[in-house]
């Protein structure tokens, strides 16, 4: 019965997540074809869309408030001058600051200390991904896999398979020992700059894939693996109250659009014979 309830809860959560992802994708993929001719109405409609993106992001954050390694996505609003006036636009970006570290004392939980630029490498179907979610487990083949999705965690020589043993210890360089014997080494990737990391494409806020090659720091001296700890999500919007700003700004844009539209109707009525 409990297992059935967990499956229902998982399916509902996944449905909500997919819905938000689809909404967010449609917002980011919106194209203005110039159907609205009045510049004032067009500007307020663009503002409504931008603040709706902020609000949708907050919903995404709320779902993942307990997801270790979840990365916040920000949005830059910009006003660009064009031949016909001004266009409002926005640019999504990632806030790569590390979330707080929390101790779990579990031997298969890991945290990377790398100045917010370090990631575990996992194998997805057809590609590799990068994550800071260090919650790992052993599957039926004793492969080290992610708790979320059961994706194989990659080492320097491929998938990590651990032999039977009582004690699993991991050094700060990522070298894995089972009962005192070295078995494998985690593959840790540390990127050189935050600007290069903006070329990531987010799959769910915790797993990322690269859209182009970016420079990395070579060598274990650039990171430290901490066993028995996790990186919490780095979202701060719920604390700082940015969501109220986004909601109020959206409501103000709606009212402004209504006022402009009402003024246009009045002007059209007065000008008609």
């Amino acid at each position: 019965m409990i297992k059935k309830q967990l499956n229902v809860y998982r399916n509902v959560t996944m449905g909500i997540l997919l819905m938000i992802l689809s909404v967010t994708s449609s917002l980011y993929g919106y194209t203005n074809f110039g159907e609205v001719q009045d510049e004032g109405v067009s500007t307020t409609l663009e503002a409504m869309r931008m603040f709706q993106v902020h609000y949708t992001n907050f919903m995404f954050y709320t779902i993942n408030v307990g997801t270790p390694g979840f990365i916040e996505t920000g949005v830059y609003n910009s006003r660009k001058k064009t031949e016909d006036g001004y266009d409002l636009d926005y640019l999504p970006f990632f806030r790569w600051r590390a979330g707080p570290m929390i101790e779990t004392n579990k031997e298969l939980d890991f945290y990377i200390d790398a100045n917010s630029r370090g990631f575990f490498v996992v194998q997805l179907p057809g590609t590799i991904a990068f994550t800071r979610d260090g919650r790992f487990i052993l599957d039926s083949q004793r492969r080290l896999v992610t708790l979320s999705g059961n994706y194989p965690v990659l080492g320097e020589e491929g998938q990590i398979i651990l032999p039977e043993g009582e004690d699993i210890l991991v050094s700060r360089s990522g070298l894995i020992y089972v009962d005192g014997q070295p078995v494998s080494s985690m593959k840790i990737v540390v990127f050189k700059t935050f600007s290069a990391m903006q070329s990531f494409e987010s799959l769910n806020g915790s797993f990322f894939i690269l859209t182009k090659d970016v420079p990395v720091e070579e060598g274990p001296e650039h990171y430290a693996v901490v066993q028995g700890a996790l990186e919490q999500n780095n979202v701060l919007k719920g604390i700082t109250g940015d969501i109220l700003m986004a909601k109020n700004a959206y409501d103000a844009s709606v009212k402004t659009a209504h006022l402009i539209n009402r003024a246009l109707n009045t002007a059209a009525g007065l000008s008609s014979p």
Side-chain angles (χ1 to χ4, degrees), residues 134-201:
R135 298 174 299 170
F136 302 149
I137 58 174
L138 295 177
D139 66 4
S140 59
Q141 304 175 47
R142 294 195 64 80
R143 296 182 305 171
L144 191 66
V145 298
T146 60
L147 178 64
S148 175
N150 294 115
Y151 301 119
V153 180
L154 296 183
E156 295 295 343
E157 299 179 354
Q159 297 184 10
I160 300 174
I161 301 176
L162 302 183
E164 295 284 350
E166 294 184 0
D167 295 321
I168 299 176
L169 295 176
V170 178
S171 70
R172 293 175 66 84
S173 65
L175 185 60
I176 303 174
Y177 296 84
V178 177
D179 290 341
Q181 298 298 316
V183 174
S184 184
S185 182
M186 289 183 178
K187 184 175 181 62
I188 307 297
V189 174
V190 180
F191 296 95
K192 283 189 175 181
T193 63
F194 292 114
S195 59
M197 291 161 60
Q198 295 300 332
S199 63
F200 271 130
E201 181 177 333

Side-chain angles (χ1 to χ4, degrees), residues 6 9 15 51 67 72 100-101 111 120 122 128 132 134 150 159 178 185 203 205 221 227 233 256:
L6 289 175
Y9 174 77
F51 290 118
T67 303
E72 180 183 358
M101 186 183 76
Y111 169 87
F120 301 103
V122 300
I128 63 172
R132 290 185 188 168
N150 294 115
Q159 297 184 10
V178 177
S185 182
L203 299 180
E221 65 272 14
Q227 187 177 15
N233 74 80
T256 301

Side-chain angles (χ1 to χ4, degrees), residues 3-232:
K3 185 176 181 181
K4 183 177 180 180
Q5 291 177 343
L6 289 175
N7 288 333
V8 171
Y9 174 77
R10 188 180 297 111
N11 291 335
V12 170
T13 303
M14 183 59 68
I16 295 174
L17 178 59
L18 291 175
M19 178 186 68
I20 292 179
L21 283 174
S22 64
V23 171
T24 306
S25 299
S26 63
L27 290 171
Y28 285 147
Y30 171 81
T31 301
N32 184 3
F33 293 102
E35 300 94 335
V36 180
Q37 297 298 315
D38 182 78
E39 184 177 346
V41 175
S42 177
T43 300
T44 53
L45 289 178
E46 289 291 328
M48 288 163 56
R49 179 167 63 90
M50 293 178 187
F51 290 118
Q52 187 176 357
V53 170
H54 286 286
Y55 197 84
T56 304
N57 281 345
F58 178 78
M59 295 171 60
F60 200 22
Y61 303 152
T62 303
I63 289 179
N64 290 279
V65 67
T67 303
F70 181 82
I71 303 300
E72 180 183 358
T73 302
V75 180
Y76 285 124
N77 290 349
S78 65
R79 191 166 182 255
K80 299 179 180 179
K81 185 175 178 58
T82 64
E83 295 179 356
D84 300 326
Y86 289 91
D87 282 342
L88 292 178
D89 200 1
Y90 59 90
L91 177 66
F93 67 96
F94 299 108
R95 291 190 173 96
W96 290 116
R97 62 176 178 270
M101 186 183 76
I102 180 174
E103 293 187 6
T104 65
N105 296 319
K106 295 181 180 179
E107 63 180 5
L108 294 182
D109 283 352
F110 301 99
Y111 169 87
I112 301 176
D113 183 3
N115 293 323
S116 304
R117 293 181 284 114
F119 292 84
F120 301 103
V121 184
V122 300
Q123 181 70 58
L124 298 186
T127 187
I128 63 172
F130 304 89
T131 183
R132 290 185 188 168
D133 186 353
R135 298 174 299 170
F136 302 149
I137 58 174
L138 295 177
D139 66 4
S140 59
Q141 304 175 47
R142 294 195 64 80
R143 296 182 305 171
L144 191 66
V145 298
T146 60
L147 178 64
S148 175
N150 294 115
Y151 301 119
V153 180
L154 296 183
E156 295 295 343
E157 299 179 354
Q159 297 184 10
I160 300 174
I161 301 176
L162 302 183
E164 295 284 350
E166 294 184 0
D167 295 321
I168 299 176
L169 295 176
V170 178
S171 70
R172 293 175 66 84
S173 65
L175 185 60
I176 303 174
Y177 296 84
V178 177
D179 290 341
Q181 298 298 316
V183 174
S184 184
S185 182
M186 289 183 178
K187 184 175 181 62
I188 307 297
V189 174
V190 180
F191 296 95
K192 283 189 175 181
T193 63
F194 292 114
S195 59
M197 291 161 60
Q198 295 300 332
S199 63
F200 271 130
E201 181 177 333
S202 173
L203 299 180
N204 62 356
S206 296
F207 291 88
F208 303 86
I209 58 175
L210 282 174
T211 56
K212 63 179 181 180
D213 292 335
V214 297
V216 299
E217 301 277 12
E218 300 288 349
E221 65 272 14
H222 298 291
Y223 64 85
V225 177
V226 181
Q227 187 177 15
L230 292 172
E231 178 182 326
Q232 294 181 305

